[in-house]
Amino acid sequence: MARILVVDDSASMRQMVAFTLKGAGNEVVEKSDGVEALACAKSESFDLVITDVNMPNMDGITLTKELRALP
């Protein structure tokens, strides 16, 4: 089982991805933009992050750069 952070501003896309991942036995946390995801990742650990690229507040590219800078 993996702990996965799913980030997308589209609720339906987040739900579809989360449903599939949960069905495979994974634990999934959903966030709607990069700012929320980064705050979550600073206080919790994840095995995998799946993110959209185009989102408000912080896009997926910036989020990835910020996540890579975390210890």
Side-chain angles (χ1 to χ4, degrees), residues 29-46:
V29 175
E30 300 175 46
K31 297 297 175 187
S32 62
D33 67 34
V35 174
E36 287 183 6
L38 184 58
C40 181
K42 286 180 176 179
S43 63
E44 301 179 44
S45 63
F46 296 94

Side-chain angles (χ1 to χ4, degrees), residues 6-63:
V6 175
V7 190
D8 198 313
D9 57 321
S10 167
S12 60
M13 183 61 75
R14 272 194 327 271
Q15 290 169 353
M16 180 178 64
V17 171
F19 176 80
T20 302
L21 294 170
K22 288 176 184 175
N26 298 292
E27 181 183 348
V28 178
V29 175
E30 300 175 46
K31 297 297 175 187
S32 62
D33 67 34
V35 174
E36 287 183 6
L38 184 58
C40 181
K42 286 180 176 179
S43 63
E44 301 179 44
S45 63
F46 296 94
D47 300 303
L48 175 69
V49 177
I50 299 175
T51 183
D52 185 16
V53 174
N54 297 313
M55 297 180 290
N57 303 319
M58 181 187 293
D59 64 33
I61 302 296
T62 304
L63 172 61

